[in-house]
Amino acid sequence: MVSIVEQLSQVHNSTAKEALERFCSYLPEKLNLQGICFLITELFGPSLIKLLEKHMNPDVVCHSIHLCEKRDGQPYCHLYPVPEVTFFTQRRITCLLRFVFLSSFIRRKLPYEDMDGDKFSVFPTLRGYHWRGRDCDDQEASGVDPKDGIPYEQKFCTESKGVIILGDSAGAHFHIPPEWLTASQMSVKTFSNLLEVVSDELDWPQFSEVTGFLNSTVGGWTESIYLELLRRNRCNHRDYQNLSKNGAASGNIQDLAESLARSQQFDKPAIVIFAMIGNDVCNGSPDTLEKMTQPEQMHSNVKKTLDYLDNHLPKGSHVILIGLVDGRFLWDNLHKRYHPLGTYNNKNNKHRLFLCFSPQRALQLSSILKEIATSEKYANFDLLYLDYPLKEIVEMWQKFGGEPWQLIEPVDGFHPNQIASALAAKIIWQKLLHDWPHVLQKENPFNKEIGRVFNTQGGH
């Protein structure tokens, strides 16, 4: 935020005080976000303004007003080159303005906007229909063909299947808009969707590779397994569930599995994609190797989840285990590029990455998933394994004339972006068609008839 204020003052040729007030004015008035921002201005504004007007960089400012801290045994945290004169004050005060991580405060602490307890909602956010199909009117009678009295579902929908993802932040499609950190593009419009984005935990499942259904507003385009299933069979309308969560890993996935809404007795089978592609290796611990999931832990965690699914999925379902990602791709393609905070004057260091990936451990854990897929058998679903198609995604994008770095989220430098998600959906779908056609039902011969009777079925 200090970087943004500094750059706003440069973009608009204004004082630091005016830039700070300008930033606050851009925030939505709902929930008094502007008022909170102006309160923070009152608390920290004088010191911040004084330091910025002396041309101190944001690292200096943050440490000087004690919003950044130096941990024992660790180097100073800084985004910009360290100044020649050291003047940081060592004080252990927790950072107040962890704006980017606001989602962790509300993550799964807010209730579903669900009126009838079936976990489906008529509201988009707060784990509403951005995450799983929009709720239907439970009081409405089933549609019946007046010509013969046969229910439409019975006539048209004998082989439909839904899609469900148990995933981490990549599965939820984590994305922080770069314009939030780009002073030259900033205006009142920039933060107009702030509350919606935060109430979706900084995730965009409505554009994701598995459950995306809306046209993307964050660049690229939307392709998804759900949309392919819907094109193949219009009876799959709204039959998607994104049970992903930022920070999810094999060890804490049980609560996601338990939020599954699927009746073994009354619902159609489902295609479940298990995609914990990063957090079993990448973690926030100073000793990342120590905290990485061990192979035996991975085996146990996944087996528990699969046992749960076997007791809750309808017979004839499918579970696809997705392998972990080799994180070297991030370093190879980002370490020489500027972060959005540095694009205005190119004066900060290049992307700073948490180098928490171990290619060896990722390969080891992927091997565990592959071994489970080949050795374990379940009553209600078959089990398949698929490597995360990173190589294929890059090759496809390069054929379009793109470069690998364009496939990574620019703000966090960690997640697949909208282009990568769309390409992944296309590649996985082709894999299903070619290698595992039994997972997909045949194209519904009644699609045109369904369209004639229901039109768009009320949209999403």
Side-chain angles (χ1 to χ4, degrees):
M1 289 182 67
V2 175
S3 297
I4 291 170
V5 171
E6 178 196 38
Q7 293 179 31
L8 279 173
S9 69
Q10 297 171 7
V11 170
H12 298 280
N13 193 26
S14 67
T15 66
K17 182 177 185 297
E18 291 169 338
L20 191 55
E21 292 172 348
R22 182 187 296 274
F23 175 78
C24 289
S25 72
Y26 289 161
L27 298 179
E29 294 183 6
K30 292 181 180 179
L31 298 183
N32 199 30
L33 290 181
Q34 282 191 11
I36 294 170
C37 184
F38 281 114
L39 174 61
I40 293 171
T41 299
E42 290 295 320
L43 293 173
F44 299 103
S47 298
L48 186 153
I49 291 165
K50 182 178 179 181
L51 290 164
L52 285 179
E53 289 181 346
K54 289 183 177 180
H55 304 291
M56 302 294 185
N57 75 20
D59 294 318
V60 175
V61 174
C62 288
H63 279 277
S64 297
I65 62 178
H66 315 309
L67 291 181
C68 293
E69 61 179 17
K70 180 185 182 303
R71 298 183 179 180
D72 292 340
Q74 297 293 326
Y76 282 106
C77 175
H78 62 94
L79 289 176
Y80 298 86
V82 177
E84 294 180 6
V85 179
T86 302
F87 47 84
F88 296 121
T89 302
Q90 294 189 37
R91 287 187 60 183
R92 290 192 160 276
I93 300 179
T94 302
C95 179
L96 174 65
L97 305 179
R98 298 187 68 182
F99 178 70
V100 170
F101 300 103
L102 182 58
S103 64
S104 64
F105 173 74
I106 67 165
R107 185 174 60 218
R108 288 197 164 267
K109 294 183 183 299
L110 294 172
Y112 296 105
E113 294 207 19
D114 166 27
M115 303 304 181
D116 52 10
D118 63 2
K119 299 182 182 177
F120 293 86
S121 171
V122 296
F123 299 95
T125 60
L126 300 177
R127 295 275 164 171
Y129 67 78
H130 281 172
W131 299 84
R132 47 180 115 206
R134 188 196 293 259
D135 204 0
C136 298
D137 185 351
D138 294 335
Q139 302 302 316
E140 186 177 333
S142 299
V144 175
D145 190 337
K147 296 179 182 178
D148 52 23
I150 300 175
Y152 285 118
E153 185 173 6
Q154 181 179 333
K155 293 182 69 170
F156 296 153
C157 303
T158 56
E159 293 188 13
S160 57
K161 289 181 181 177
V163 64
I164 300 164
I165 178 169
L166 292 169
D168 53 20
S169 51
H173 199 16
F174 184 86
H175 166 78
I176 298 172
E179 57 269 23
W180 285 10
L181 302 178
T182 310
S184 59
Q185 300 178 16
M186 204 169 287
S187 66
V188 173
K189 185 179 179 181
T190 301
F191 298 101
S192 60
N193 64 342
L194 174 64
L195 293 177
E196 178 181 326
V197 175
V198 170
S199 61
D200 262 341
E201 305 162 35
L202 296 181
D203 297 323
W204 308 70
Q206 68 272 31
F207 307 142
S208 69
E209 66 191 69
V210 174
T211 62
F213 62 92
L214 293 178
N215 291 332
S216 171
T217 60
V218 295
W221 65 98
T222 301
E223 290 275 359
S224 71
I225 304 302
Y226 165 69
L227 285 178
E228 292 286 6
L229 285 170
L230 182 60
R231 296 180 190 117
R232 197 172 181 83
N233 185 348
R234 294 189 66 162
C235 290
N236 294 326
H237 185 67
R238 297 184 184 173
D239 197 351
Y240 60 90
Q241 297 183 54
N242 194 316
L243 309 183
S244 303
K245 178 180 176 182
N246 300 338
S250 66
N252 59 15
I253 194 178
Q254 196 63 30
D255 64 324
L256 301 181
E258 291 175 0
S259 67
L260 174 72
R262 207 76 178 178
S263 168
Q264 282 189 317
Q265 183 178 359
F266 299 109
D267 286 333
K268 302 290 185 181
I271 302 169
V272 179
I273 297 178
F274 179 103
M276 299 291 149
I277 67 172
N279 294 322
D280 283 284
V281 174
C282 188
N283 56 75
S285 173
D287 187 349
T288 57
L289 289 173
E290 176 67 24
K291 294 297 182 181
M292 289 179 186
T293 302
Q294 299 294 323
E296 59 273 16
Q297 292 175 316
M298 187 73 168
H299 191 279
S300 175
N301 295 338
V302 175
K303 276 281 290 140
K304 287 179 182 177
T305 301
L306 294 176
D307 290 342
Y308 182 88
L309 292 176
D310 198 34
N311 289 323
H312 291 82
L313 288 175
K315 194 173 185 61
S317 295
H318 315 273
V319 176
I320 303 173
L321 305 177
I322 305 292
L324 282 72
V325 172
D326 183 344
R328 288 176 295 187
F329 176 79
L330 302 175
W331 170 261
D332 291 344
N333 292 286
L334 284 185
H335 75 279
K336 292 183 179 180
R337 301 200 60 80
Y338 283 102
H339 189 274
L341 275 176
T343 54
Y344 177 67
N345 47 31
N346 289 348
K347 78 174 189 177
N348 76 322
N349 283 357
K350 309 295 194 277
H351 257 279
R352 293 189 173 275
L353 304 171
F354 292 103
L355 300 181
C356 54
F357 272 99
S358 164
Q360 295 79 14
R361 183 59 58 85
L363 181 61
Q364 201 175 22
L365 298 183
S366 294
S367 297
I368 295 296
L369 294 175
K370 188 181 298 186
E371 186 272 327
I372 291 174
T374 56
S375 64
E376 299 294 335
K377 303 298 180 185
Y378 292 90
N380 290 312
F381 59 82
D382 61 355
L383 194 54
L384 306 165
Y385 172 83
L386 178 65
D387 285 323
Y388 185 81
L390 180 59
K391 180 181 178 182
E392 295 92 333
I393 292 169
V394 173
E395 290 175 349
M396 184 177 289
W397 182 234
Q398 288 176 325
K399 287 180 180 179
F400 293 151
E403 298 184 47
W405 64 266
Q406 295 171 319
L407 299 170
I408 306 170
E409 280 291 337
V411 173
D412 60 64
F414 187 79
H415 294 90
N417 68 5
Q418 186 64 38
I419 296 171
S421 295
L423 295 178
K426 186 177 184 67
I427 291 166
I428 293 172
W429 180 258
Q430 290 301 319
K431 177 77 172 178
L432 293 174
L433 283 175
H434 185 267
D435 294 349
W436 303 317
H438 70 283
V439 172
L440 310 172
Q441 70 275 18
K442 297 178 181 179
E443 187 170 351
N444 192 336
F446 300 108
N447 277 339
K448 289 185 178 179
E449 192 72 7
I450 294 170
R452 184 187 65 77
V453 174
F454 294 99
N455 196 11
T456 62
Q457 300 182 67
H460 285 84

